[in-house]
Each structure stands twice: as structure tokens, then as C-alpha cells.
Amino acid sequence: MATGKSRDTFGSKFGVIAAAAGSAVGLGNIWKFPYETGSNGGSAFLVIYLAFIFILGIPAMVASFAIGRSGQSDASSSFSRIAPGTQWKLVGFLGILAAIVVTSFYTTVAGWTLEYVAHAFTVAQSDVDPSAYFSDFIANPLRPVLWQIAFIVLTMLVVMRGVSKGIERYSKILMPLLLALIIILCVRAVMLPGGRAGLEFLFKPDFSKLTFEGALNAMGQAFFSLSLGMGVMITYGSYIRKSENLTKTALHVALADTLIAILAGVMIFPAVFAFGIEPGSGPSLVYITLPNIFSKMALGGVFSLLFFILLTVAALTSAISLFEASVAYFAERLKMKRIYAMLLTFAIVLTLGIPATLSQGNLSCIQLFGMNLFDFFDFISSNIMMPLGGLLIVLFVSWGPGKDIFRNELTNQGAIRVRSFGAIEFLLRFVVPALILVIMLAPLFLSLFRGEAGA
Ligand code: PHE
């Protein structure tokens, strides 16, 4: 399977974890997880989210790594190499599509973050109303688009340098920094008077608040946060060296991702309650709540600047992985030069991404199934494309043609013993597919049922 030129790989254990955790830890943890938790009743959502991470997330991540490492190619070609002449490559293609849809609204939010880096001191001033600032800004017809483009260019600058010299090198520096800053902000938030209610909201489970819709969102969030169900972890898997233990790597990545999500909750909910903000306020939570904290802190402007730089960094390492999935696909499947593959990705992402950004303002009139474009992209990717992609990836290695390579990849061709292999295999065969199906179909049945009851 040699292609003449050997493929670039991640050079060290820490490098693999930093890059994959860099993909996983992002806006999903710091921006999305807190507001999803807030909108879905708090702690009960957290409990079910954690269950999904361990039962669905880790096995699905191991499956993705195995497919990529065995296929040694982009997300779609890896399927073709393992199962030549079959339609399984379409699963990889669906993944690339999902990655592109995610990139289009992900870069909108990342662009907002850059605006907040540029105006970190302004938004932390006590005479600025953070909520008015945010709503004026996102509805502006120009500024959010320019920031979005700037962010995409930043992403491309790293992707251009390749896997080990670009992606890995930057992740290794930026991830530890992110952790340090979140811890500092958590300590400050927990000390706020009135913040206790926020911790209770996050940690004291009240299952009466849990709905089917909440469970669907928790699953979507688990997939989103671990960058699963699309081409990303398959592509990264293809850069992991043959000597690494895939199960351990997935476990470490999932733990890092979960830790950061919980810390983001600990950082945000005490402040939400201390300042009497509605925890279910949705996507704007981080951009309104945190400036509120900063304006009340000593050296708030400095913290604000550091926080938004690091949020940008978290977004950047994730956007890099999204870009890489599609660049690898165009470069390897369509045999394009890497630079052209990048430009093509850039063009597609802009075509979808700019309307998504403008849907917060001028284009809010365009509605699909009652959602603006931004919400629609978020919904179809997190709640439909990613679970569906996840389901097919899992079926591929548990019942489909990927069964043998799966065992070989997990045990490094028999060289290591993986004690949890039986458990992972069982989860992938029965539990994961059943859960994904039930949760994906449940809302459909519920709405049919409600529709009939209403008629
Ligand atoms: N996991 C990333 C986050 O939490 C988002 C992402 C999704 C990245 C899918 C890559 C693929 O922000």
C-alpha cells in the first residue's frame, strides 16, 4: 500500500493526545456544553451526557481510530481500502460532508471569539452592557463575516504546515495553556457570592427535568464534543503510529475532553446564578456571562483578553481537525495538491459559512424547519449526521467488513493485550447501535404520537 511518499504522522504519544484532544476540546466544551446543560435542566443532562461519553463515545472513538489507522488514508478512502468494491466509502463521504457543515457554523462562533479578543478590555468594562454589545455585534452585516474569514485563514496557516509540524506542534503548546487558564477562572467563579446555586444546578441531579429531547441533545453533544461520527477522528487515526495503544489514547482524549467540559460548567454556572442570568439563555451564554464576570474582577480586562485568546485557541485546534478531514479527502481521494485541496475546502466553507453567520442578522428571515441557517446546520450535524455517521462507523467494525481489522488494530496485531476488548466489542455490537437508534427515532415517534393526539 506504499504510495511512494510515506504519510506524515504524529511523532509522540503526547503529540497524538494533544492533537486529538485539541480536536475534541473546543467551542463544544466551553461554549456549547454549558448552554446545552443550561437549556436542558442542568445536572440530569450532565449525568446522561457522561454516560454517553463512556458507553458510546469511547467505543466509537476507538472504532474511528482503528478504521483510519488500518486504512492509512482519508476518511472515505480508508473504508475503500478495508472493504474494496463496497459502498462503505459513502460513510466516509457523509463524514466529510458533516465536517464541512460543522465548519461552516463553527467558524461563525470562532469569529465572534476573535471580535472579543480584539475588544476584550471594552467588553469587560462595567459601563458596557454585555448583552446589547453581543446582540448588536452578531447582527452586524459585516464585522462577524470578516472575523470569520480571519479565523479561517488562521486555521489554514496551521493546516498548510502539515500534520507533525503544524497540527501536532501547535496542539502541544496550546492545550496545556488552555487548561491552566480555565482552572484560574474556575477558582474565581466559585468564589463569587451566590455562586453556590450554580454548582447545585450543575451537580445535583434532578431527573424530573430530563426529557427525550434532552437525551437526544446529550447524545448529539457527546458526539460533537468528541469530534465523532464524521471523518475527523478517522483522519487523525490514520496519522497515529502503529505502536500506539488506540484504546488508551481514546480514553485519555475522552477524559481530557470531559474534564474541560465540566470545568467550563464550573466556571460559568456560579456566575450565571450570581448575576441572575437565565441559565437556558442559549448560544449567547458565554459571550454575555463571562464579560459580566470580568467586569467585576480585579484585572478583569486582562483575564478577559486571556480567556478569549484561549477560547480562540481551543476553537482553532478543533477547526484545524475539521479542515484536515476535508483537505485529506480532496488531496488523497481526488488526488489534488494539498494547497488546492485547501482552497477548495475554503471555498465550500465560505459558501455555507457566510450565510450561517448572516443568519444571526440580515438573513434571519431564511428559515428551514423553523430554524435559521445557523441553528439548522447545528441541528442536522449534531443530531442527525453525526449520530447516523457514528452508527454506520460502529456497524462497520462490529458486524461489517471492518471486524478483523478492528481486533488487529486494537491489539496492535496481537502485540498488546487489551483487557477491555470484550466489553468494547459488546458495546459496539449491541448497546451503541441500539441506543443511537432509539434516541434518534424517539422524537419522531413522540411527535407522531403528539400529532395524532392533537388531531
Ligand atoms: N469537538 C469539537 C468541540 O467540542 C468540535 C468538533 C466537532 C471538531 C466535530 C471536529 C469535529 O468544539
Side-chain angles (χ1 to χ4, degrees), residues 27 31 106-120 134 137 144 147-148 151 286-287 304-305 307-315:
L27 296 169
W31 162 72
Y106 203 80
T107 51
T108 301
V109 184
W112 297 347
T113 312
L114 281 183
E115 157 85 10
Y116 276 68
V117 172
H119 297 101
F134 181 68
F137 164 66
W147 284 125
Q148 177 180 32
F151 179 82
V286 157
Y287 297 90
S304 161
L305 179 65
F307 174 77
F308 286 112
I309 288 175
L310 283 153
L311 189 57
T312 306
V313 162

Side-chain angles (χ1 to χ4, degrees), residues 23-273:
S23 170
V25 174
L27 296 169
N29 305 62
I30 300 167
W31 162 72
K32 203 171 183 205
F33 173 78
Y35 90 69
E36 286 278 1
T37 308
S39 314
N40 288 292
S43 53
F45 179 86
L46 174 64
V47 171
I48 187 135
Y49 171 78
L50 290 178
F52 280 134
I53 291 284
F54 284 91
I55 298 171
L56 303 180
I58 294 176
M61 191 184 297
V62 176
S64 311
F65 282 161
I67 294 171
R69 196 170 70 170
S70 168
Q72 284 298 300
S73 193
D74 66 89
S76 173
S77 312
S78 286
F79 281 99
S80 316
R81 288 201 179 167
I82 299 168
T86 65
Q87 294 307 315
W88 282 100
K89 57 178 186 276
L90 292 178
V91 178
F93 181 72
L94 174 78
I96 305 295
L97 269 183
I100 289 174
V101 173
V102 170
T103 316
S104 62
F105 75 89
Y106 203 80
T107 51
T108 301
V109 184
W112 297 347
T113 312
L114 281 183
E115 157 85 10
Y116 276 68
V117 172
H119 297 101
F121 285 91
T122 316
V123 296
Q125 272 162 18
S126 51
D127 55 347
V128 171
D129 173 359
S131 158
Y133 187 93
F134 181 68
S135 45
D136 286 351
F137 164 66
I138 62 168
N140 185 295
L142 194 62
R143 261 164 53 216
V145 173
L146 294 180
W147 284 125
Q148 177 180 32
I149 297 175
F151 179 82
I152 297 176
V153 169
L154 212 62
T155 307
M156 296 206 306
L157 287 177
V158 178
V159 174
M160 221 164 62
R161 288 164 198 241
V163 176
S164 51
K165 297 216 176 69
I167 301 175
E168 180 179 359
R169 182 192 287 169
Y170 284 88
S171 310
K172 269 165 47 180
I173 305 171
L174 301 171
M175 296 312 290
L177 260 178
L178 174 83
L179 180 66
L181 210 85
I182 276 206
I183 292 177
I184 297 174
L185 288 165
C186 279
V187 171
R188 183 65 189 93
V190 171
M191 280 158 43
L192 287 168
R196 221 192 127 86
L199 292 181
E200 278 180 13
F201 177 77
L202 185 62
F203 291 122
K204 215 164 143 196
D206 174 3
F207 285 99
S208 66
K209 298 223 183 87
L210 196 67
T211 57
F212 256 128
E213 214 188 328
L216 176 68
N217 286 340
M219 187 181 68
Q221 175 61 18
F223 271 98
F224 185 84
S225 193
L226 292 180
S227 310
L228 293 174
M230 52 168 72
V232 170
M233 287 301 182
I234 298 181
T235 310
Y236 271 18
S238 76
Y239 302 136
I240 300 180
R241 289 184 307 191
K242 289 286 185 193
S243 53
E244 305 290 349
N245 180 331
L246 294 184
T247 316
K248 269 198 191 145
T249 306
L251 181 69
H252 290 154
V253 172
L255 287 176
D257 187 67
T258 306
L259 176 75
I260 301 279
I262 293 179
L263 288 179
V266 170
M267 167 174 73
I268 287 164
F269 288 113
V272 166
F273 280 79

Side-chain angles (χ1 to χ4, degrees), residues 279-361:
S281 63
S284 60
L285 193 61
V286 157
Y287 297 90
I288 296 174
T289 316
L290 285 180
N292 242 329
I293 311 178
F294 296 136
S295 70
K296 313 237 164 22
M297 271 167 96
L299 295 178
V302 175
F303 278 110
S304 161
L305 179 65
L306 287 177
F307 174 77
F308 286 112
I309 288 175
L310 283 153
L311 189 57
T312 306
V313 162
L316 190 63
T317 49
S318 300
I320 288 167
S321 69
L322 286 160
F323 247 74
E324 178 63 26
S326 131
V327 170
Y329 173 76
F330 291 134
E332 297 186 27
R333 181 103 209 162
L334 307 183
K335 312 246 175 313
M336 286 172 116
K337 273 207 169 117
R338 211 172 145 89
I339 182 82
Y340 294 129
M342 245 173 55
L343 292 176
L344 181 58
T345 307
F346 182 57
I348 303 174
V349 165
L350 283 188
T351 310
L352 292 174
I354 293 178
T357 303
L358 293 175
S359 74
Q360 303 289 329

